[in-house]
Amino acid sequence: MSTIKVKDGTEIYYKDWGTGQPIVFHHGWPLSGDDWDTQMMFFLNHGYRVIAHDRRGHGRSSQSSQGHDMDTYVEDVAELTKALDLKDAIHIGHSTGGGEVIRYVAKYGKGRVAKAVLISAVTPIMVIGENNPDGVPMSVFDEIREGTGFHRPQYYHDFPTAFYGYNREGTKVSEGNKQNWWRQGMMGSVKAHYEGIKAFSESDFTEDLKSVEIPVLVMHGEDDQIVPYSISAPKAAKLLPNGKLISYPGFPHGMPTTEAETINKDLLEFIKS
């Protein structure tokens, strides 16, 4: 397996295929780099170098006991991109990975990143608060903590239904997608997933978004049941100096999987623009 050892000794697993301009994919909670398989194959076949890592405590990376916070996630990415000497890269993040992307670009991306994409992202901030009155109540994240920390196999069995919008009338359900979500989730560390809930729900990316001057595409499904559209994408796009928003009526949170043909086409158009 391809891994790098970061400064605290944690091993970060990654896939690195092809040649050409690099595209780095950042997965959502509680998944792994495998969640990008469809995009990896698509862009590999279009002549790009494609890279996807497993966040610490997720997938095949070390089940470290510490570092399950956004700043450490981003430091790990910085070490990986430095080790692989990535320049002129496109960074694409889904959900939690979207937050990881924008903070990485803000802190470490100068001279290395050409463009970025936030898909169904947790930016600018999810949880309700004084400066985010229409955010998601903390009780929702406490329920996710309870399910993840103490009932994980069944909770992860049930979670993909809303994630992929399979609870909507007329939607064709893919049992394979649901089982693949469960497989990826159960590969990781329960401790990392539990502590990572705070990272994706309470991290405030407002200043990161404001500081990023490269082109950033924000993509979000209007029927996202995990990261509600109204509290995320329009706000993030407005904060970006050079942002573009594409919204998709009826698309779910997991739209890179369920609507891959549309998402891949729009990603390619943005990258080539």
Side-chain angles (χ1 to χ4, degrees), residues 125-129 132-138 141 200-203 231:
I125 184 172
M126 285 195 71
V127 73
I128 195 169
N132 191 38
D134 57 347
V136 178
M138 183 63 79
F141 302 113
F200 77 66
S201 63
E202 298 181 46
S203 296
I231 71 163

Side-chain angles (χ1 to χ4, degrees), residues 97-116:
E100 185 176 271
V101 163
I102 205 66
R103 183 155 296 175
Y104 164 75
V105 174
K107 292 185 71 172
Y108 302 104
K110 191 171 183 180
R112 288 190 177 272
V113 182
K115 294 180 180 180

Side-chain angles (χ1 to χ4, degrees), residues 25-267:
F25 295 95
H26 304 242
H27 65 80
W29 175 96
L31 304 174
S32 73
D34 291 353
D35 201 43
W36 292 109
D37 281 354
T38 303
Q39 283 70 40
M40 295 272 283
M41 292 298 294
F42 177 84
F43 285 100
L44 182 65
N45 289 338
H46 278 80
Y48 292 89
R49 178 183 177 188
V50 293
I51 297 138
H53 71 292
D54 293 355
R55 191 171 296 121
R56 64 168 54 215
H58 295 62
R60 291 142 293 203
S61 290
S62 296
Q63 295 199 6
S64 55
S65 64
Q66 72 284 328
H68 308 300
D69 59 87
M70 192 57 63
D71 286 339
T72 305
Y73 295 162
V74 167
E75 288 171 9
D76 292 344
V77 172
E79 290 198 52
L80 177 63
T81 56
K82 184 178 179 181
L84 298 180
D85 194 28
L86 302 181
K87 293 171 181 166
D88 193 34
I90 314 292
H91 282 258
I92 301 175
H94 177 253
S95 195
T96 302
E100 185 176 271
V101 163
I102 205 66
R103 183 155 296 175
Y104 164 75
V105 174
K107 292 185 71 172
Y108 302 104
K110 191 171 183 180
R112 288 190 177 272
V113 182
K115 294 180 180 180
V117 183
L118 313 180
I119 304 178
S120 311
V122 296
T123 52
I125 184 172
M126 285 195 71
V127 73
I128 195 169
E130 186 176 333
N131 296 321
N132 191 38
D134 57 347
V136 178
M138 183 63 79
S139 60
V140 172
F141 302 113
D142 288 340
E143 185 271 334
I144 298 172
R145 268 183 274 270
E146 173 66 20
T148 296
F150 305 99
H151 314 281
R152 190 165 68 141
Q154 186 62 47
Y155 191 74
Y156 282 10
H157 177 274
D158 297 337
F159 201 89
T161 299
F163 190 96
Y164 292 125
Y166 291 153
N167 54 353
R168 297 308 196 207
E169 187 176 352
T171 301
K172 184 179 179 181
V173 177
S174 167
E175 289 297 330
N177 285 343
K178 291 171 65 176
Q179 291 180 28
N180 190 41
W181 198 101
W182 187 89
R183 174 191 69 85
Q184 291 179 72
M186 293 303 295
M187 286 171 68
S189 157
V190 64
K191 186 175 189 292
H193 293 168
Y194 183 89
E195 294 179 1
I197 295 163
K198 180 180 176 67
F200 77 66
S201 63
E202 298 181 46
S203 296
D204 188 343
F205 302 98
T206 301
E207 297 306 316
D208 303 296
L209 291 158
K210 288 179 180 178
S211 72
V212 171
E213 297 180 352
I214 61 168
V216 180
L217 176 62
V218 179
M219 311 169 80
H220 215 106
E222 293 179 16
D223 193 33
D224 191 324
Q225 299 172 66
I226 308 301
V227 181
Y229 172 78
S230 62
I231 71 163
S232 52
K235 293 183 178 182
K238 190 174 181 180
L239 290 165
L240 289 161
N242 193 5
K244 176 184 177 182
L245 172 63
I246 303 178
S247 63
Y248 299 90
F251 281 21
H253 187 67
M255 64 185 188
T257 296
T258 62
E259 307 292 342
E261 185 175 351
T262 298
I263 299 304
N264 291 350
K265 176 179 71 68
D266 289 347
L267 284 171

